[in-house]
Amino acid sequence: MPPPQNRPRALRLRAWLAVATTTAVVGCGLLVTAAPAMAAVPAPIALTSAQCPADIAQGETDGCVTELQDLLNTHGAGLTVDGDFGPSTLTAVKNYQSGHGLSADGVVGPLTKSSLDTTSSVPAALALTSAQCPADIAEGEIDGCVTELQDQLNSHGAGVGVDGDFGPATLTAVENYQSSHGLSADGIVGPNTKAALDATSTSVPAPIALTSAQCPADIAQGETDGCVTELQDLLNTHGAGLGVDGDFGSATFAAVESYQGSHGLSVDGIVGPDTKASLDGSGTTAPPPPSGSVLSKIVGYAQDIENGDAEPGWDGGWPGGDIQYVWGGGHESLPGPSTGTCVGDPQSLSCTDPGAIGLDCSGFARWVYDLAYGQDVLGAGNTDNQISEMTAVSSPVAGDLVFFGASASDTEHVGVYIGNGEMINSYDTGTVVQTNAVSAGGNLIGYYQY
């Protein structure tokens, strides 16, 4: 599931139980494999206690490592807490060290311990414009001003971990916010950025139907009112992922153009009568309902992609060859393989190779459906957005999508069902688009048809 969806983590909460199966959490879903019962997780031991060695390193298995994994997870590492300092914990330690100005050697010595201990509790939020916050809030700051900043950025869809630590992820979120609101994208939260955040976080204009007399014939960039609130709500039902603030900024403009391009409308970024009618559902640009030919195309394109065939898509299309799993891949303005993101999956390929091209699970489903329907019917959203566009079916057929997760509002993975209990999907970091048994997908929500 893409990028972008980052749920808040309960800090340091875990049931200390032995389990009979191992559940591997992957970037776009849960894939479950049976494993022998394992022993209880060692109880955590404070890193600075005399029971922990001066340098905690790969290979150690004890409560010191349990505590280390807990602390790393408060910074979004997403580790399985088992008290075992293995390769995943090593990578998470190096990522933390790099993001906090420490020597990235993977060894948890005095400096890394001190840094983790001081950032383990989230500072209470402080108003950005209060005298307690500096004029310019910048990368490296750790305090309640940053906690408030992260909260406000998340109200605009940033999805950053709220820890009061202005690290690389917060820097990226600030730059993205600044770019989308016509501010200098320098990553520094100065007076102008504070004012913009404060202004957009206080009150959102109540939505107004786009076709009402209160809305202009053409809604365009620069407008701020309830018409734009309604527009952003409607665009989000198609996977735009906008912050709903009633402000028609550059992000809303880009979302309008993307919607227009995928629905056969004139791509001008202006929400006129045709775009309003399409968004309201009264337009004539909806794709045909599923038929035997469309469903067979879905399966055919999924198999072609798995086999490495060249296909049209984003940035000129795919020239052919295996397509690797990349978290956030396939979520650009047009469907098809693209660069991914570290946000949401700190162990993804995108973290070590930001230029990596590929697809995550929802990016793959989006591209296949775009090729089969001839337009971007699923949109650039994640699996939660995709399932909301579809109808559950009790008798699945090849070409349907199969979703996994806790519920239809809390999805984690999707694949293209090809019949005989199998699906083609973009599975996890380190793999390429491939066929798997549906039973490997984890908690099955059900089969859905567009």
Side-chain angles (χ1 to χ4, degrees):
M1 180 164 66
Q5 197 172 357
N6 186 17
R7 300 183 181 85
R9 298 178 183 273
L11 298 183
R12 307 165 64 87
L13 178 64
R14 177 167 69 276
W16 300 96
L17 298 173
V19 296
T21 59
T22 296
T23 302
V25 181
V26 302
C28 212
L30 291 173
L31 294 165
V32 181
T33 55
M38 52 186 188
V41 178
I45 301 171
L47 299 186
T48 54
S49 78
Q51 295 171 270
C52 292
D55 293 324
I56 303 172
Q58 187 171 14
E60 185 169 336
T61 304
D62 55 25
C64 306
V65 181
T66 302
E67 175 72 0
L68 170 64
Q69 292 168 327
D70 269 336
L71 290 170
L72 289 169
N73 282 347
T74 68
H75 292 273
L79 295 168
T80 298
V81 179
D82 56 7
D84 181 2
F85 197 136
S88 296
T89 302
L90 177 66
T91 299
V93 168
K94 288 182 176 179
N95 287 344
Y96 176 85
Q97 291 171 325
S98 296
H100 289 77
L102 300 164
S103 176
D105 57 7
V107 177
V108 184
L111 293 179
T112 302
K113 289 180 183 179
S114 175
S115 176
L116 283 163
D117 275 344
T118 58
T119 60
S120 60
S121 59
V122 179
L126 299 170
L128 298 184
T129 53
S130 74
Q132 295 170 274
C133 292
D136 293 325
I137 303 172
E139 187 173 16
E141 186 168 335
I142 301 174
D143 56 24
C145 307
V146 180
T147 303
E148 175 68 9
L149 170 63
Q150 292 167 327
D151 277 333
Q152 293 205 17
L153 290 169
N154 283 345
S155 72
H156 292 273
V160 295
V162 178
D163 56 7
D165 182 357
F166 197 135
T170 301
L171 175 65
T172 299
V174 168
E175 290 176 332
N176 289 342
Y177 176 84
Q178 291 170 326
S179 295
S180 67
H181 285 76
L183 301 164
S184 174
D186 56 7
I188 297 173
V189 184
N192 291 336
T193 302
K194 289 180 184 179
L197 283 164
D198 277 344
T200 57
S201 64
T202 52
S203 61
V204 177
I208 301 171
L210 300 186
T211 54
S212 77
Q214 295 173 271
C215 293
D218 294 324
I219 303 172
Q221 189 167 11
E223 186 170 335
T224 304
D225 55 25
C227 307
V228 181
T229 303
E230 175 72 1
L231 169 64
Q232 292 167 329
D233 277 333
L234 289 170
L235 289 169
N236 283 346
T237 67
H238 292 274
L242 294 168
V244 179
D245 55 8
D247 180 2
F248 197 136
S250 55
T252 301
F253 181 78
V256 169
E257 288 191 319
S258 177
Y259 177 85
Q260 290 171 327
S262 66
H263 287 76
L265 300 163
S266 175
V267 181
D268 56 9
I270 297 172
V271 184
D274 290 342
T275 303
K276 290 179 183 179
S278 177
L279 282 164
D280 278 342
S282 56
T284 58
T285 59
S291 65
S293 61
V294 173
L295 291 169
S296 65
K297 284 182 181 179
I298 292 169
V299 174
Y301 279 119
Q303 292 172 332
D304 288 345
I305 292 169
E306 181 183 20
N307 292 334
D309 291 356
E311 300 289 355
W314 178 78
D315 199 25
W318 182 248
D322 289 339
I323 299 178
Q324 62 191 342
Y325 176 94
V326 172
W327 174 272
H331 295 274
E332 293 289 343
S333 57
L334 295 176
S338 68
T339 53
T341 175
C342 272
V343 177
D345 184 4
Q347 297 183 60
S348 71
L349 176 64
S350 309
C351 300
T352 56
D353 183 6
I357 301 292
L359 296 166
D360 65 13
C361 65
S362 51
F364 171 67
R366 175 197 184 193
W367 190 30
V368 170
Y369 268 54
D370 172 72
L371 292 170
Y373 278 98
Q375 58 182 280
D376 188 13
V377 294
L378 297 183
N382 57 30
T383 49
D384 282 355
N385 301 124
Q386 289 180 344
I387 200 170
S388 70
E389 297 277 345
M390 309 187 79
T391 302
V393 293
S394 57
S395 300
V397 296
D400 291 342
L401 293 185
V402 54
F403 287 89
F404 305 88
S407 68
S409 60
D410 186 12
T411 57
E412 292 162 339
H413 189 62
V414 64
V416 176
Y417 182 60
I418 58 173
N420 299 317
E422 292 186 323
M423 63 180 175
I424 299 177
N425 61 160
S426 189
Y427 179 76
D428 187 18
T429 300
T431 67
V432 297
V433 171
Q434 62 186 29
T435 296
N436 290 103
V438 170
S439 59
N443 187 49
L444 176 66
I445 296 172
Y447 298 83
Y448 286 71
Q449 194 171 88
Y450 187 78

